[in-house]
Every structure is written in structure tokens, then in C-alpha cells.
Amino acid sequence: MFILQYYLLCVLIVESSTKESPLRIIGGSDAQEGQYPFVIRLESQIKRSGNSTYHKHLCSGTALSSTWVLTAGHCASVVLKYRLKMVVRYGRVEHPPDYEDTFSKVLLTIIHPLYSYKFEELHITPNKNDMALLKTTPMKVKRFCKLSSVDFFSLYGYEAVLAGYGITTTKLPDGTILTNSSLNLLKPLQILKVLMYKCGQNFLRPGFCLAPKCGRKMTSCPGDSGSPLIHPSGVVGVLSLAELTTDCLYPTINSRVSLVGVVLPISPYIEWILSHVTA
């Protein structure tokens, strides 16, 4: 049974001498520049001695408008619990924290009132309503997402795109493969094509699962939580459970996964989202 993990990003570097091509999100590819400009990353801003700051990647999210972001409830919950200073990055990953038109401050955090979760290693109880909204200072995003109201039960068997900024890999000139957050590796948005299906276990309520296409080796990873699941009708879900297995931590190991991640559907929450975003 796979160990699922949706808490904060594990910051680590794994080096391998293998010459196998580097994997992405894991198993996806780099998004083209400007392909999904509404996919943003959530970062904690940490002060160093003096006035300088540095950022650590937390989760991914979706820009609904110039001042509202949709993400997973557990991402926002951890920020509140540990009183982290959270910012939204929507510009290029190599830009420093003081770069204009790249970062926005989070002014308000709204977690779904019926949100609940419990996570213990090797034991997962069903998580509920894993969704949150963040109000921000204006984001200069070129295009905002369209939410889909299509009933998620009708989406089983269809293809979608998962886009996120979590753990990924890069290959150095000497063949060494490094595994770390896309922020630390200066990697762009990672995307992968998946198939939607009904979960065999109640990891999330409500929720549905994602499978890799054509038996390919791919999975979401820590830091991809809050990522949008994109369908031709619009964004149909928010990634709640990403997988923490050897495929994320040691992506050169020859193994395959049947579960890419577990997603909270958008359709049951349209009214709740609009009640805040349009207020």
C-alpha cells in the first residue's frame, strides 16, 4: 500500500550516479512559458539576520482573480498553525524576493468551515473538504483560471492535466540527478497528463483519484498539494493527497505507481467559492 503524504514539502537533495534521463513532477514535463499563468506557488518568507529574507516552497495554488487564490485546506492550516508569513509567487522562479510584479502578500486566509483531516504514517483516515481561499494584494497575472461546474462523477475515465511546483529533478552536466523542490532547482511549472477515476479507498471526501496514462511512471509529490487539475471545461479539482514514495525521493528507481494523487472536486464547492470571491 502506498504511503500518501500531503503535509509540507520535504526539503532534501538526492544524488545518483545513474545516467537515466531526469524525471519531472515526477514523470511529467516543463510547461511552456505562459501556458498556465494562473498556477501559482505558495512560499513562506523567512527573515535572515538583518533585513534580508529567503523563501521556502510550501504548496501550489490557482489564481481565481487578481486578489484571490484557491489551494488545499491543509496548506493554509499549516501556515496558520505555525504562524508562517506566506506570499504568493506568480512570476519567474529565478526572481529574488524583492522583485516587482512577482510576489503578492497574503492578507486573509479562509479555510472551508467543514475542513478536517488526520494523517498518521501508514494510516490515513478520510479527509474532508480540503479547500482554502487566500485573499492577496493584487497579482499581475496575465490570465486567471476558469472554474468548471461539471459534476465530477461524469469525469471518470477522462483525461486532465495536473500542474504543480512540488518536488522534481534536474540533471547536472556530469550526469548527477538532483531531487528537490522546483524552487530550489529553479525549475518552471511541471505538468503531467492523467486519467480521472473513482477511488477504491476513501482517502478524501468528496474526492476522486488520478491514474498515470499508458502505464507511464509518474506521480505528484510533496509541494504539489493545492495544484489545479485542468480539464477542457476548466479547473475541476484541487490536489489534496500527493504520494511520498521512492518515486518522489528516488525517482531513478525502476518502479511504477498506479496512483498519481487524490483530488478534491470543484463542483460541490462552486457556491462557497463564489460567495467569498464575489463578495
Side-chain angles (χ1 to χ4, degrees):
M1 176 179 178
F2 299 112
I3 302 174
L4 292 173
Q5 134 79 1
Y6 63 88
Y7 214 56
L8 283 179
L9 173 68
C10 300
V11 179
L12 55 104
I13 296 179
V14 179
E15 296 188 1
S16 170
S17 60
T18 178
K19 295 186 180 296
E20 182 180 344
S21 298
L23 304 171
R24 305 297 185 211
I25 195 174
I26 303 291
S29 59
D30 292 348
Q32 298 177 7
E33 186 172 354
Q35 186 176 9
Y36 300 108
F38 51 83
V39 185
I40 56 87
R41 66 168 82 232
L42 305 178
E43 301 173 7
S44 61
Q45 191 175 70
I46 303 169
K47 284 190 176 182
R48 291 191 175 100
S49 57
N51 294 323
S52 64
T53 61
Y54 71 97
H55 287 194
K56 293 183 71 172
H57 177 82
L58 296 176
C59 288
S60 304
T62 306
L64 303 178
S65 71
S66 62
T67 57
W68 286 100
V69 167
L70 177 69
T71 190
H74 69 266
C75 295
S77 176
V78 169
V79 169
L80 293 177
K81 180 178 180 180
Y82 294 101
R83 298 181 180 180
L84 302 177
K85 183 177 181 181
M86 182 165 55
V87 296
V88 170
R89 183 197 291 259
Y90 51 88
R92 299 177 65 88
V93 70
E94 66 269 20
H95 287 166
D98 58 351
Y99 194 92
E100 293 184 1
D101 300 338
T102 297
F103 300 94
S104 290
K105 297 179 181 178
V106 175
L107 303 176
L108 178 66
T109 300
I110 304 174
I111 301 176
H112 193 278
L114 299 179
Y115 160 75
S116 67
Y117 80 91
K118 182 178 181 182
F119 176 80
E120 299 173 2
E121 190 174 1
L122 296 178
H123 177 70
I124 302 171
T125 57
N127 305 303
K128 301 176 182 179
N129 309 299
D130 189 14
M131 180 175 287
L133 292 168
L134 309 174
K135 188 169 186 179
T136 70
T137 54
M139 298 177 288
K140 295 186 178 180
V141 176
K142 293 182 179 179
R143 177 166 54 93
F144 301 104
C145 84
K146 172 188 175 184
L147 295 180
S148 173
S149 58
V150 175
D151 190 329
F152 73 97
F153 290 110
S154 67
L155 296 173
Y156 295 154
Y158 284 88
E159 181 181 295
V161 173
L162 183 66
Y165 283 108
I167 283 179
T168 188
T169 58
T170 193
K171 189 174 184 179
L172 300 181
D174 64 0
T176 300
I177 293 178
L178 300 181
T179 303
N180 209 312
S181 74
S182 56
L183 178 62
N184 289 350
L185 296 179
L186 299 181
K187 298 290 293 183
L189 179 68
Q190 304 295 299
I191 60 174
L192 54 81
K193 293 182 179 180
V194 294
L195 297 175
M196 298 174 278
Y197 71 99
K198 183 177 180 180
C199 296
Q201 301 182 55
N202 289 326
F203 296 121
L204 180 69
R205 295 177 182 171
F208 58 96
C209 289
L210 305 178
K213 286 196 64 182
C214 305
R216 292 182 59 193
K217 177 182 177 179
M218 59 173 61
T219 186
S220 58
C221 290
D224 290 320
S225 291
S227 297
L229 182 66
I230 306 164
H231 178 262
S233 64
V235 173
V236 295
V238 174
L239 183 69
S240 178
L241 299 176
E243 192 167 27
L244 180 56
T245 65
T246 53
D247 294 277
C248 287
L249 305 183
Y250 304 96
T252 57
I253 291 178
N254 186 21
S255 63
R256 294 186 182 276
V257 299
S258 58
L259 177 64
V260 173
V262 185
V263 169
L264 183 77
I266 290 291
S267 57
Y269 301 94
I270 291 290
E271 290 187 8
W272 179 78
I273 293 171
L274 295 180
S275 70
H276 292 285
V277 174
T278 60

